[in-house]
């Protein structure tokens, strides 16, 4: 609170990854998601409290990264969602969705809940409830907050239940090709150790993050970065901005480059000039306002790099050293 008012600051240093798991050796048979398939699952759904890594299909882990590349994690799980009050280098929230599908109830167009269910024991390949004649791959969404500060966090809707929405966007036939082409790992109920490069082509023309000003201009004119009242459709008098582009046109998102964006580009140029062995993969700022000027101030970035042996490591740094430990780039100022 500030001056007796609640102040909520949006968490921007987020990343997420979907994981797919399947078991081709159990009945009912596992099928790929059909076109248009969608579902929503909540952490308090029936059956969500069994199976998974921690005896349930949801876990929360607060991890610090060790020098040997391992992680030291404190793991909790279950429902309701409780954010740790202690700080750590990375907070992870993982939630796995149901794997049983009642084909007679459709693909979730009108009801994204009732056509799916967890197995009776919560495991990926466990028995399906009566009436659920198909099995689908399990989707686990893993959300990470880097440089987790501890203290008080909450979901934007004020809920203590975590949920995941899934809409099938796979090219038809591709997921089935992966499911049939990956050799089982031997780890019961979990995805085979496939390298995506075996089956997928990297998308280099992916959608970039939107700037706040573009969201307010083209979608909904409501602040979401630092607010006194959490932004929710139910308590907002702000309506959606009418769409101004045709369905066959790209949205008019251009996002003028901020000082933060320019800093990233200069940083990558410095790496190339120094011929460092580290290869930049992802650079992300931990600041609410991307229009803040970073010139002449010390900043902390997250930097994912690749060593000569191909191992990928992630680390929070404000400077970069070479293999001998000598500082080759000082990221404090530009």
């Amino acid at each position: 609170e500030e001056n007796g008012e609640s102040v909520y600051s949006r968490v921007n240093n987020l990343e997420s990854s979907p994981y797919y798991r399947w078991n081709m050796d159990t009945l009912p048979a596992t099928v790929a998601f059909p076109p248009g398939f969608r579902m929503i699952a909540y952490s308090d759904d029936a059956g969500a409290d069994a199976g998974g890594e921690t005896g349930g299909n949801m876990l929360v882990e607060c991890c610090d990264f060790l020098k040997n590349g391992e992680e030291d994690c404190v793991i909790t799980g279950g429902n309701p969602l409780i954010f740790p009050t202690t700080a750590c280098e990375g907070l992870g929230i993982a939630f796995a969705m149901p794997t049983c599908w009642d084909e007679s109830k459709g693909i979730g167009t009108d009801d994204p809940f009732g056509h799916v269910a967890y197995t009776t024991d919560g495991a990926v390949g466990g028995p399906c409830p009566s009436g659920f004649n198909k099995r689908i791959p399990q989707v686990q969404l893993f959300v990470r907050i880097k440089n987790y500060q501890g203290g008080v966090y909450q979901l934007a809707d004020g809920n203590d239940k975590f949920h995941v929405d899934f809409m099938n966007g796979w090219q038809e036939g591709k997921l089935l090709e992966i499911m049939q082409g990956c050799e089982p790992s031997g780890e019961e109920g979990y995805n085979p150790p496939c390298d995506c490069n075996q089956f997928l082509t990297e998308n280099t023309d992916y959608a970039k993050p939107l700037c706040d000003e573009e969201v307010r201009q083209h979608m909904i004119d409501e602040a979401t970065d630092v607010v006194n009242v959490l932004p929710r459709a139910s308590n907002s008098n702000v309506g959606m901005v009418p769409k101004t582009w045709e369905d066959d046109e790209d949205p008019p998102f251009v996002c003028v480059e901020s000082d933060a964006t320019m800093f990233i580009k200069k940083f990558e140029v410095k790496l190339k000039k120094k011929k460092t062995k580290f290869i930049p993969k992802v650079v992300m700022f931990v600041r609410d306002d991307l229009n803040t000027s970073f010139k002449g101030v010390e900043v902390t970035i997250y930097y994912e790099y690749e060593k000569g042996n191909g191992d990928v490591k992630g680390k929070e740094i404000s400077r970069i050293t070479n293999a001998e430990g000598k500082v080759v780039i000082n990221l404090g100022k530009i």
Side-chain angles (χ1 to χ4, degrees):
E1 291 192 2
E2 292 183 7
N3 300 321
E5 284 191 306
S6 296
V7 177
Y8 301 93
S9 297
R10 186 181 65 207
V11 175
N12 290 325
N13 49 320
L14 285 172
E15 63 179 31
S16 62
S17 303
Y19 293 86
Y20 289 81
R21 302 166 171 167
W22 59 86
N23 189 324
M24 302 292 283
D25 298 326
T26 57
L27 294 175
T30 303
V31 298
F33 301 108
F37 187 91
R38 61 187 66 187
M39 59 179 167
I40 299 175
Y42 278 82
S43 57
D44 65 340
D45 284 350
D49 59 348
E53 292 95 336
T54 58
N57 278 289
M58 179 174 159
L59 69 85
V60 178
E61 60 180 10
C62 206
C63 301
D64 291 312
F65 306 115
L66 306 178
K67 292 182 178 180
N68 62 2
E70 299 296 323
E71 296 180 351
D72 180 21
C73 300
V74 176
I75 298 177
T76 59
N79 184 76
L81 170 62
I82 299 175
F83 286 96
T85 57
T86 55
C88 57
E89 292 183 274
L91 178 78
I93 302 172
F95 181 53
M97 304 187 81
T99 57
C100 298
W101 172 34
D102 182 347
E103 189 178 20
S104 68
K105 294 181 179 178
I107 58 175
T109 305
D110 298 319
D111 175 13
F113 301 97
H115 63 317
V116 293
Y118 284 96
T119 58
T120 57
D121 61 3
V124 175
C128 284
S130 176
F132 289 82
N133 64 316
K134 293 286 179 68
R135 192 185 303 274
I136 51 178
Q138 184 176 71
V139 179
Q140 183 194 57
L141 182 68
F142 210 115
V143 178
R144 299 173 180 86
I145 303 176
K146 294 186 173 183
N147 194 28
Y148 180 72
Q149 299 296 303
V152 180
Y153 284 72
Q154 72 173 83
L155 299 177
D157 63 359
N159 211 325
D160 60 2
K161 303 176 185 66
F162 193 79
H163 84 277
V164 174
D165 297 28
F166 173 80
M167 298 179 64
N168 180 29
W170 282 90
Q171 176 182 316
E172 193 166 0
K174 177 56 66 173
L175 180 57
L176 180 61
E177 177 189 346
I178 297 173
M179 292 164 58
Q180 293 176 339
C182 283
E183 293 296 327
S185 65
E187 187 177 359
E188 184 177 356
Y190 286 81
N191 51 302
C194 291
D195 185 338
C196 288
N197 294 332
Q198 295 172 246
F199 302 94
L200 304 175
T201 302
E202 182 180 1
N203 178 16
T204 58
D205 190 27
Y206 54 88
K208 304 301 188 294
L210 297 182
C211 296
D212 282 349
E213 58 265 30
E214 289 191 330
V215 172
R216 299 191 68 165
Q217 180 181 355
H218 297 293
M219 300 176 71
I220 183 168
D221 188 11
E222 182 178 23
T224 61
D225 48 356
V226 181
V227 296
N228 298 116
V229 178
L230 288 172
R232 303 172 188 166
S234 60
N235 65 10
S236 173
N237 295 320
V238 181
M240 298 295 293
V241 177
K243 184 179 176 183
T244 58
W245 63 92
E246 301 298 327
D247 290 341
D248 59 350
E249 295 178 335
D250 289 332
F253 303 142
V254 293
C255 232
V256 177
E257 287 188 340
S258 64
D259 286 328
T261 306
M262 295 302 296
F263 184 95
I264 291 172
K265 288 189 174 181
K266 290 182 180 180
F267 166 61
E268 291 177 336
V269 169
K270 281 185 177 182
L271 281 181
K272 291 178 181 178
K273 287 183 177 179
K274 293 289 184 179
K275 296 182 179 179
T276 175
K277 293 181 180 179
F278 301 110
I279 304 169
K281 295 292 184 182
V282 176
V283 182
M284 181 170 61
F285 283 87
V286 190
R287 290 294 277 268
D288 288 334
D289 183 7
L290 286 181
N291 290 314
T292 299
S293 174
F294 288 94
K295 292 182 179 179
V297 298
E298 186 166 340
V299 299
T300 299
I301 67 166
Y302 288 101
Y303 179 65
E304 189 174 298
Y305 58 91
E306 205 173 81
K307 288 190 173 180
N309 60 5
D311 290 341
V312 175
K313 304 293 183 183
K315 191 177 182 182
E316 173 195 339
I317 54 176
S318 57
R319 64 182 187 177
I320 301 214
T321 59
N322 61 16
E324 292 73 38
K326 181 181 178 181
V327 176
V328 291
I329 298 175
N330 188 340
L331 301 179
K333 295 184 179 181
I334 57 174

